[in-house]
Amino acid sequence: MRKLLLLLALCAAGVASAAGMAATAAAAGEPRYTVVKIDLRTERLELFLRDDAGVEFKRFDRLEAWLAAQNRQLVFAMNAGMYHADFSPVGLLVQEGREVSPLNLSAGAGNFFLRPNGVFLVSDAGPRVVESSEYPALSKGVRLATQSGPLLLRHGAVHPAFIPDSDSRKIRNGVGVSGHTAIFVISEQPVNFYEFALYFRDVLHCRDALYLDGTVSALHSPSLRRSDFVRELGPILGVAVP
């Protein structure tokens, strides 16, 4: 974890790094993104939703305080997928190998149901982003999983419904994978789906990536002196250390 914290500090000071966190732009005038790379061979990613009393965290500061009471520090967090009005997940949620919310393969309106949608999962084999219907065959041994949609990339291909010149622009966040590394991205300016997917493919060189949300997108990083609050959240992905 000292290595991760050092990388975060270096990137916050403006030094580019192959890991950790950095705000990047492909060229002048193009959208900027903040990227967090977590090597799951050395860092432990967790999913948070409720405290020991069953109360949803909803905010980074509440999760941070709960962890501090356990002598743990929240060094990274990001909203982890779409949720209902009661803050429960719309789709699959697996915490420490326990299924909290089932896989949702139903049809519906909205971004979550824009097929193909997908699942971000972590198992002993590492992180993966898969199409939702593929998940049941892969579920054995999964420690952590969250379902969202749409898929930004599937085997290197951009989602077929994305429109290159769409004027639907929002602050968006998502997750891609590269080997044992989970790559979290939040846009610092409004972007459309197509632009967001191309950033994962052409800049970060991911073949599979999943959209987590837009408008409510938020990042927590003490190293960047940042803890966003846009609105209350459902599931939260994070890294906490002693």
Side-chain angles (χ1 to χ4, degrees):
M1 180 51 65
R2 288 183 179 179
K3 180 181 178 182
L4 174 63
L5 292 176
L6 176 60
L7 290 169
L8 293 178
L10 289 172
C11 291
V15 180
S17 172
M21 180 179 297
T24 61
E30 293 191 6
R32 298 181 73 250
Y33 300 87
T34 296
V35 177
V36 181
K37 296 183 177 182
I38 298 176
D39 187 337
L40 295 178
R41 291 170 297 186
T42 57
E43 311 299 340
R44 183 173 179 82
L45 193 63
E46 297 179 63
L47 260 171
F48 302 97
L49 180 60
R50 302 180 180 96
D51 64 18
D52 297 329
V55 178
E56 290 80 7
F57 292 110
K58 302 181 185 178
R59 299 170 56 120
F60 294 144
D61 57 352
R62 294 172 185 164
L63 173 58
E64 191 174 32
W66 181 76
L67 288 166
Q70 304 174 33
N71 297 314
R72 301 174 71 199
Q73 179 188 6
L74 184 66
V75 297
F76 159 74
M78 181 175 278
N79 56 298
M82 299 174 189
Y83 52 95
H84 295 293
D86 64 357
F87 300 97
S88 63
V90 175
L92 177 73
L93 191 77
V94 175
Q95 292 178 286
E96 299 304 324
R98 182 174 67 89
E99 186 178 286
V100 177
S101 178
L103 188 70
N104 185 345
L105 297 179
S106 62
N111 291 331
F112 179 92
F113 298 100
L114 185 58
R115 295 184 178 180
N117 59 10
V119 173
F120 168 68
L121 64 89
V122 175
S123 69
D124 289 341
R128 291 188 67 178
V129 169
V130 300
E131 195 273 327
S132 291
S133 66
E134 297 173 339
Y135 175 78
L138 304 169
S139 61
K140 186 176 180 179
V142 167
R143 179 178 65 79
L144 170 159
T146 183
Q147 184 183 10
S148 191
L151 280 174
L152 297 168
L153 298 172
R154 186 183 186 194
H155 307 316
V158 175
H159 195 292
F162 293 173
I163 302 169
D165 59 353
S166 171
D167 61 2
S168 176
R169 295 177 174 274
K170 300 179 184 295
I171 300 295
R172 304 181 189 274
N173 71 298
V175 59
V177 295
S178 179
H180 288 275
T181 301
I183 305 176
F184 294 91
V185 180
I186 185 168
S187 68
E188 299 302 331
Q189 298 160 261
V191 295
N192 64 32
F193 275 125
Y194 189 81
E195 293 166 339
F196 199 39
L198 288 190
Y199 186 78
F200 275 97
R201 189 190 71 182
D202 298 343
V203 179
L204 300 175
H205 307 296
C206 295
R207 287 183 50 80
D208 299 289
L210 178 66
Y211 178 65
L212 291 175
D213 216 330
T215 305
V216 301
S217 300
L219 170 67
H220 172 88
S221 169
S223 294
L224 291 181
R225 298 180 182 178
R226 174 173 177 173
S227 191
D228 301 340
F229 177 75
V230 180
R231 62 181 67 180
E232 293 183 326
L233 305 173
I236 296 170
L237 280 157
V239 175
V241 299

